[in-house]
Amino acid sequence: MLIPHPLLGARDAQEFTYLGDASLMDRPDPNGPEAEAAFCDYVFLRDNPAGVHRELWFHEQGDRSWLVVTRDTVTHEILGAELARDVKRGAQT
Amino acid sequence: MTRLTGGLIDREKPLDFTFDGRSYSGYAGDTLAAALMANGVDLIGRSFKYHRPRGVLSAGSEEPNALVTLRDGARAEPNTRATVAELYAGLTARSQNHVGSLERDLLAVNDLLSPLFAAGFYYKTFMWPRTFWEKLYEPAIRRAAGLGALSMEPDPDAYDKGFLHCDLLVIGAGAAGLMAALTAGRAGAKVILADEDMRPGGRLLAESDLLNDAPAHEWVRAVRAELASFPNVRFMPRTTVFGVYDHGIYGAVERVADHLPTPGDGVRQTFWRITAKRAVLAAGAIERHIPFADNDRPGILLAGAMRAYANRWATLPGRAGAPVAVFTNGDDGHRTARDLVAKGVPVLGVVDTREDAQAFGDYEVFRGATVTGTRGRRGLRAIQITRGATATWHDVGALGVAGGWNPNVHLASHHRGRPVWKADLLAFVPGADGPKGLFPAGAVAGRGGTASALADGVRAATTALADIGMTAPKVALPEASDVPHAQAAFWHVPGKRRAWVDFQNDVTVKDIALAHTENMRSVEHLKRWTTLGMATDQGKTSNIAALAVMAEQTGQTIPGTGTTIFRPPYTGVSLSVLGGGDTGKHFRPTRLTPTHDWAAAQGATFVEVGPWMRAQMFPRAGEGHWRETVDREVTAVRSAVGICDVTTLGKIDVQGADAAEFLNRVYANMMATLKVGRVRYGLMLREDGHLYDDGTCARLGEDHFVVTTTTANAGAVYRNMEFARQCLWPDLDVQLISTTDAWAQIAVAGPKSRALLERIVDDTDLSNEAFPFMACAALTICGGLRARLFRISFSGELAYELAVPARYGHALMERLAERGADLGVTPYGTEALGVLRIEKGHATGAEITGQTTASMLGLGRMVSAKKDALGAVMSRREGLAAEAWRLVGLKPVGGDGPILAGSHLFTEGAVRTLDTDQGWVTSACYSPNLGRHIALGYLEHGDTRMGERIVAANPLEGQEMAVEVVSPDFVDPEGVRLRD
């Protein structure tokens, strides 16, 4: 597989370490109501879609950036890749 | 040796070889199959199940029958297809799958018992008693029905792997592939042309049809020369593209040296990962046969293969001078008869199932006829031709069977693309749902006539290049024509005798009918019940015939019956080449510490710790047992001073205005309050609340920290911290870099460590007041070398860790050893390190298992309740907070002896069950300081059970030992020494 790194262009997937669902970026508020239940969902529950999936890849053998890669789990087509920090900042503003 | 005229063999270069110990001679350019045929050897092996005599069926990699063991000794390679094994001087090959000689195989008795061995026989017969399957039935069956045997010796050859990139990958160098490569080469595209054969040309080499009024191989030679003149074209012969992977990545194996007498001089095979922007699939087609009674005798082969042997290798199977016949359902078989007549071979005639068949030349045509039987135990002697109610026997030496051609759709189907049935071609062609960027051309696309294939190669390359914005020039085609290829939908000759469909796995038309009777209606069930298509050839010559027979049973059409799914690899790939040489020592990189050579010179023994080699101990002359060495090293640390390389611990440099805040969120305990010039022990949790890793955090400046991780988790902790930085809190001003390899770090431990370091450091006061326990500083040593000093202790003694740039690690070790000689300085290894930490109850991987909580280590209060951090919320959940296990020390009572790590803990007299299990022993050693064996373990409510007598039991081995629960801090529990 090739991953289109937003800064470095197409890179072989072997350079990356896979983590999983990009929902891991949405860490619950530790002080919020029902924080423990929210963390339980956050830590243990994932969607497992057949189709479009946003997921985290770490460019470990490269520039060490975390990417949010949008991939179709059925066709393995990669629909996009963004720097995770940009995604997170975008979500915060 | 008998040869026909012509051929593409080099008669100037004879090559000697042996088969089953007998010497023969062939020519350069021969395959083993061709050379054996030219020597009159038609019996090559025995079939898998019935041990029937078998010869060559095909002239390519689809061969199901002619499997041999090539080479001897460790290089012996079973199940090698003689049809693709290139002849070399001194080649040795042996036949397979027989008891006694190949000619008189004792297991041929299986053939007489064949009514017993029908499809599904094993499943039905060997069901009972169940325990007999593994011990008796399966081994016996495997012995009787096997092919070649492995040498059981290590592979002596070298393998390699590599990456290639191109604009256009052309798979197959036949008519279509050559034109595609030529078109793209002239367009200036970066082209890779790969072909599994030893020379380019594909079917052009096997046919007699002319190109530009000259033999086709002359045109091939000219194209090859032009391609060689392009710096942008790489031609790779002997290279099989075996699989299509995601995003235009193709797997290929180049057989670099398989055709050489000694493949071991360089790399034998290379595994290539080819990243291609576009690809042209010009893999040609594979001929299919027509099942009829006793159609598996040596001398019966595919008509196209017969043509290839005659035209390319100037040979034919069968007795010299015996007439040859062809059995066909279409025009293609007539090409064989025409070519043989031209070569002066006596041709009995063509048996054509069609009433209106037209001859291609001067030979007899048996119209509307079929072959209904054969004779000849070890080789074909006669065939029975039936027309209407009349059957006649005819003496022949060989029979070519032409059942039509199957486009090689395999690669186009590797992404579950479904081939599409073309009724006019009576064949499957690639569907539109094939891999992206892969363009079928020529015979693969159902355009297999020479002129069609040539033109289609140009078309496919032009289309593929246009897809990536490149323009192909107009390319003139050589003069060629398409031979007529009309064909009837005739799939098998019905009859009472066995008619083979899958030769390699001995599956007959009857077996398929039986499977249907037993309700194996899905093609996938049929496959598994009969094992059709499951042999090493994966049914390349048999699958379509099987579908046709099945369609007849079910009354469905062939496409309605379906196809099985194609998966890589196209042909067998050795595990050695997939490993690409990453075996033994090369399986993964070995990391050496900066003091490795120094330790080796001191006579150290080494141990693998993750990817690292660490000094395990430093035995001295006269030390007969490893424990003498370890005890001496441990005693030296507790009584004088020891030095140990601890570089392998992970080091992460953390800098930025928000570095303190960042570490506060990453570590469970408070880090923001750490003062500059101080170190703090830190606990890191996983987000699920369990203990993840531990280490130290040293604050070198207001916005500069250096943190350490365990050796095992160095990479993972860094990755996790980057996750926290980039994915959770990107607004914090903090940067991370792994500096594990940049700094060599040496532990200097023991009561005389300060005295030793005072001789090393430049102008730094190391007194307890100026540089107390948990102090750190950036300083210089040895007259100006920059270094970092940390007063931390894993051994429980007065101790330091001193870091210098990695290239000075070796010199520092030498200097410490030299300057500390009078202090009794002693290098120690990981064994002594282990004893020292067990004596202090310090946790390592044996205790921090991923299921450990901070409370279990007695460190529950370190998890700050005043702040959030990774894992903090989940560490407070009921299940984790209630965890009752606590780390305790254990020592034997009533005598001494080693406590077995892994033993489980029970109260005295308790029944040993899971319910009464109270914990387990994590680490154990002999403590020279206590003069007895000790251990650490987790025990339910262990912190409140000091002094209790319990049992450490290993019920598996029937071992048990009475132990006393004590503090895990066996030595200096007040911690006086490390603060001294």
Side-chain angles (χ1 to χ4, degrees):
Chain A
M1 288 208 318
L2 297 176
I3 291 179
H5 192 298
L7 304 177
L8 303 171
R11 310 297 311 178
D12 197 287
Q14 290 188 30
E15 294 174 6
F16 293 80
T17 305
Y18 181 74
L19 180 63
D21 193 337
S23 69
L24 284 169
M25 296 170 71
D26 308 326
R27 190 170 184 268
D29 177 0
N31 302 312
E34 305 288 326
E36 193 182 306
F39 266 89
C40 267
D41 285 356
Y42 169 71
V43 171
F44 296 118
L45 298 183
R46 305 275 189 284
D47 288 336
N48 184 21
V52 175
H53 188 228
R54 281 162 59 79
E55 54 199 23
L56 288 161
W57 293 74
F58 181 48
H59 199 201
E60 189 147 39
Q61 309 293 324
D63 76 339
R64 288 158 184 197
S65 45
W66 278 95
L67 303 185
V68 176
V69 176
T70 308
R71 183 174 65 99
D72 188 319
T73 57
V74 176
T75 63
H76 288 193
E77 188 182 359
I78 292 193
L79 305 164
E82 304 157 90
L83 291 176
R85 57 176 183 265
D86 291 347
V87 173
K88 183 72 179 179
R89 281 180 184 143
Q92 284 170 345
T93 54
Chain B
M1 186 167 52
T2 54
R3 289 277 188 177
L4 305 173
T5 55
L8 300 175
I9 47 176
D10 188 348
R11 293 176 200 247
E12 304 293 308
K13 284 188 196 154
L15 301 170
D16 293 332
F17 69 101
T18 68
F19 177 65
D20 278 344
R22 260 176 250 165
S23 297
Y24 301 99
S25 182
Y27 293 121
D30 268 335
T31 60
L32 175 59
L36 284 169
M37 205 179 276
N39 282 278
V41 180
D42 290 334
L43 172 57
I44 295 185
R46 290 276 173 171
S47 74
F48 186 66
K49 195 156 88 173
Y50 301 133
H51 291 251
R52 301 262 298 182
R54 289 287 166 80
V56 168
L57 182 79
S58 75
S61 62
E62 66 271 29
E63 178 62 31
N65 275 347
L67 305 182
V68 299
T69 297
L70 200 62
R71 302 183 191 270
D72 293 314
R75 289 204 175 91
E77 193 183 313
N79 304 342
T80 301
R81 291 149 297 169
T83 50
V84 290
E86 219 170 303
L87 198 65
Y88 54 83
L91 178 148
T92 56
R94 277 170 292 130
S95 56
Q96 305 180 150
N97 206 32
H98 48 84
V99 172
S101 74
L102 172 62
E103 287 76 16
R104 296 176 203 287
D105 177 9
L106 299 177
L107 281 175
V109 66
N110 282 7
D111 196 29
L112 301 175
L113 300 174
S114 64
L116 294 178
F117 290 153
F121 160 71
Y122 302 123
Y123 302 125
K124 293 176 218 163
T125 311
F126 294 112
M127 290 290 287
W128 185 90
R130 226 152 82 173
T131 49
F132 276 30
W133 176 252
E134 239 175 69
K135 293 203 170 101
L136 180 67
Y137 297 145
E138 192 183 354
I141 291 167
R142 284 197 188 283
R143 260 198 309 279
L147 289 170
L150 291 169
S151 73
M152 304 310 283
E153 291 176 54
D155 188 334
D157 292 322
Y159 297 82
D160 205 355
K161 60 179 182 297
F163 293 83
L164 293 172
H165 297 260
C166 62
D167 294 319
L168 189 70
L169 168 67
V170 181
I171 302 160
L178 284 170
M179 283 314 293
L182 196 61
T183 304
R186 286 186 188 168
K190 204 172 164 193
V191 179
I192 292 172
L193 172 62
D195 192 281
E196 63 178 356
D197 204 341
M198 63 180 107
R199 57 190 292 172
R203 276 306 292 184
L204 293 175
L205 306 179
E207 304 293 358
S208 61
D209 308 293
L210 303 180
L211 281 186
N212 291 337
D213 291 325
H217 64 87
E218 288 180 16
W219 177 80
V220 171
R221 186 181 303 131
V223 173
R224 187 179 183 173
E226 184 177 346
L227 292 175
S229 75
F230 293 136
N232 51 317
V233 176
R234 178 180 181 139
F235 172 53
M236 301 175 72
R238 304 184 178 96
T239 302
T240 303
V241 176
F242 65 77
V244 185
Y245 299 89
D246 292 316
H247 309 150
I249 295 173
Y250 294 79
V253 169
E254 182 179 12
R255 290 171 295 278
V256 182
D258 277 14
H259 61 294
L260 301 178
T262 309
D265 293 344
V267 168
R268 179 163 181 180
Q269 297 181 351
T270 303
F271 170 35
W272 293 106
R273 258 168 281 197
I274 303 173
T275 303
K277 288 180 186 161
R278 294 294 181 271
V280 168
L281 178 63
I286 290 174
E287 196 170 16
R288 57 193 181 219
H289 65 98
I290 305 170
F292 56 90
D294 295 328
N295 60 330
D296 68 331
R297 299 192 196 283
I300 301 175
L301 69 171
L302 295 166
M306 187 178 248
R307 212 148 74 221
Y309 284 110
N311 289 327
R312 179 173 172 183
W313 288 290
T315 186
L316 277 179
R319 290 156 289 140
V324 174
V326 174
F327 177 34
T328 186
N329 59 7
D331 290 341
D332 204 81
H334 292 265
R335 297 173 80 173
T336 304
R338 178 198 64 186
D339 288 1
L340 295 183
V341 168
K343 290 251 178 194
V345 175
V347 174
L348 169 76
V350 174
V351 182
D352 196 319
T353 60
R354 301 169 303 170
E355 291 289 353
D356 57 349
Q358 295 294 313
F360 277 25
D362 184 17
Y363 53 81
E364 190 178 349
V365 180
F366 301 84
R367 292 186 177 83
T370 53
V371 177
T372 46
T374 67
R375 287 185 190 143
R377 185 66 191 146
R378 279 172 231 148
L380 184 66
R381 302 197 73 85
I383 60 171
Q384 185 188 49
I385 300 175
T386 300
R387 182 181 151 81
T390 317
T392 49
W393 282 94
H394 302 262
D395 282 353
V396 293
L399 174 70
V401 182
W405 294 81
N406 293 324
N408 235 328
V409 300
H410 296 68
L411 293 183
S413 307
H414 276 183
H415 289 181
R416 295 185 77 100
R418 293 289 182 168
V420 175
W421 181 254
K422 297 273 278 186
D424 55 333
L425 297 171
L426 296 173
F428 284 103
V429 296
D433 58 350
K436 264 193 179 175
L438 180 71
F439 295 80
V444 171
R447 293 181 277 271
T450 308
S452 307
L454 290 163
D456 208 40
V458 176
R459 179 202 58 80
T462 305
T463 314
L465 291 181
D467 228 21
I468 51 171
M470 296 184 81
T471 308
K474 286 257 179 284
V475 178
L477 295 168
E479 270 176 58
S481 58
D482 284 353
V483 179
H485 57 272
Q487 191 192 348
F490 185 92
W491 299 104
H492 74 107
V493 182
K496 287 191 177 157
R497 294 184 64 83
R498 283 175 296 169
W500 269 261
V501 178
D502 180 331
F503 293 103
Q504 198 175 127
N505 267 356
D506 270 335
V507 181
T508 65
V509 172
K510 277 187 198 170
D511 291 319
I512 296 170
L514 179 65
H516 178 261
T517 309
E518 294 184 341
N519 215 22
M520 300 297 159
R521 302 286 165 103
S522 140
V523 65
E524 300 289 351
H525 286 154
L526 164 79
K527 211 179 143 169
R528 279 149 189 86
W529 191 243
T530 61
T531 72
L532 181 132
M534 293 173 72
T536 60
D537 66 331
Q538 290 285 290
K540 289 188 177 65
T541 52
S542 61
N543 280 342
I544 302 296
L547 283 178
V549 173
M550 201 175 167
E552 193 180 278
Q553 298 286 331
T554 57
Q556 282 179 306
T557 59
I558 289 176
T561 307
T563 60
T564 55
I565 293 164
F566 295 95
R567 295 186 183 86
Y570 172 64
T571 50
V573 175
S574 75
L575 291 175
S576 300
V577 75
L578 283 181
D582 294 344
T583 55
K585 275 261 172 218
H586 303 293
F587 183 66
R588 65 178 180 192
T590 304
R591 299 177 77 179
L592 303 181
T593 66
T595 63
H596 184 88
D597 292 346
W598 180 86
Q602 308 300 310
T605 60
F606 294 92
V607 60
E608 279 184 45
V609 181
W612 292 94
M613 294 298 288
R614 293 189 72 179
Q616 187 175 23
M617 62 185 94
F618 295 80
R620 284 186 185 163
E623 288 174 346
H625 189 273
W626 65 267
R627 240 198 51 208
E628 288 180 53
T629 306
V630 174
D631 289 356
R632 172 181 52 75
E633 291 175 9
V634 170
T635 307
V637 172
R638 297 243 183 264
S639 63
V641 56
I643 48 178
C644 179
D645 190 324
V646 292
T647 304
T648 62
L649 294 176
K651 308 177 201 73
I652 299 167
D653 208 84
V654 184
Q655 299 197 37
D658 295 324
E661 172 60 20
F662 176 74
L663 292 176
N664 224 24
R665 298 183 189 185
V666 166
Y667 283 95
N669 52 322
M670 198 65 86
M671 282 300 170
T673 54
L674 184 64
K675 291 190 176 65
V676 174
R678 305 292 293 183
V679 186
R680 187 169 288 168
Y681 176 68
L683 284 183
M684 217 178 260
L685 306 183
R686 284 198 314 247
E687 198 67 277
D688 69 2
H690 282 102
L691 208 47
Y692 179 39
D693 201 60
D694 68 342
T696 59
C697 235
R699 191 165 199 172
L700 294 174
E702 212 33 65
D703 54 4
H704 185 195
F705 293 77
V706 173
V707 307
T708 66
T709 74
T710 58
T711 299
N713 279 337
V717 167
Y718 175 75
R719 187 189 309 146
N720 213 33
M721 284 173 67
E722 281 290 4
F723 172 80
R725 187 180 77 90
Q726 298 178 39
C727 300
L728 300 181
W729 305 302
D731 292 330
L732 290 184
D733 177 5
V734 60
Q735 299 295 328
L736 309 174
I737 189 162
S738 167
T739 59
T740 306
D741 293 274
W743 293 86
Q745 195 146 317
I746 313 286
V748 183
K752 294 181 182 170
S753 56
R754 181 184 291 125
L756 173 54
L757 283 173
E758 279 169 343
R759 299 173 183 181
I760 299 282
V761 302
D762 303 335
D763 311 321
T764 303
D765 182 359
L766 294 185
S767 69
N768 207 23
E769 295 69 36
F771 202 79
F773 178 57
M774 287 304 209
C776 68
L779 42 70
T780 66
I781 65 168
C782 302
L785 175 65
R786 71 195 172 96
R788 291 167 177 174
L789 186 64
F790 311 89
R791 190 171 158 189
I792 52 182
S793 177
F794 197 45
S795 58
E797 296 299 318
L798 168 68
Y800 302 81
E801 289 187 13
L802 179 58
V804 292
R807 63 186 179 281
Y808 295 104
H810 183 115
L812 174 62
M813 206 64 160
E814 276 180 339
R815 186 69 62 91
L816 287 167
E818 174 197 316
R819 301 297 297 274
D822 61 316
L823 302 173
V825 68
T826 302
Y828 63 101
T830 54
E831 289 294 332
L833 197 72
V835 172
L836 289 162
R837 70 98 191 165
I838 293 172
E839 287 181 339
K840 285 299 291 178
H842 287 156
T844 61
E847 285 77 30
I848 303 178
T849 61
Q851 293 172 302
T852 312
T853 64
S855 315
M856 285 169 67
L857 284 181
L859 302 175
R861 277 187 299 178
M862 272 185 76
V863 179
S864 171
K866 293 180 198 153
K867 57 152 192 165
D868 177 41
L870 296 180
V873 171
M874 293 289 267
S875 74
R876 292 191 274 270
R877 64 193 152 125
E878 202 182 330
L880 250 59
E883 203 72 275
W885 285 308
R886 291 293 179 272
L887 188 71
V888 296
L890 300 166
K891 57 184 186 188
V893 287
D896 190 34
I899 305 172
L900 205 63
S903 295
H904 278 242
L905 303 175
F906 297 91
T907 53
E908 278 194 314
V911 190
R912 315 270 189 262
T913 68
L914 267 181
D915 294 337
T916 58
D917 190 323
Q918 299 208 318
W920 67 100
V921 178
T922 56
S923 306
C925 71
Y926 175 78
S927 164
N929 293 291
L930 279 78
R932 67 192 310 165
H933 287 88
I934 58 170
L936 299 175
Y938 288 116
L939 177 67
E940 280 178 17
H941 306 291
D943 51 337
T944 62
R945 294 168 67 177
M946 293 299 148
E948 185 180 332
R949 225 177 111 138
I950 59 171
V951 173
N954 174 13
L956 282 178
E957 303 284 339
Q959 297 162 327
E960 60 178 65
M961 174 177 274
V963 292
E964 183 189 338
V965 181
V966 296
S967 159
D969 209 346
F970 290 93
V971 172
D972 185 29
E974 295 79 28
V976 176
R977 296 184 193 179
L978 49 80
R979 292 190 174 79
D980 191 12

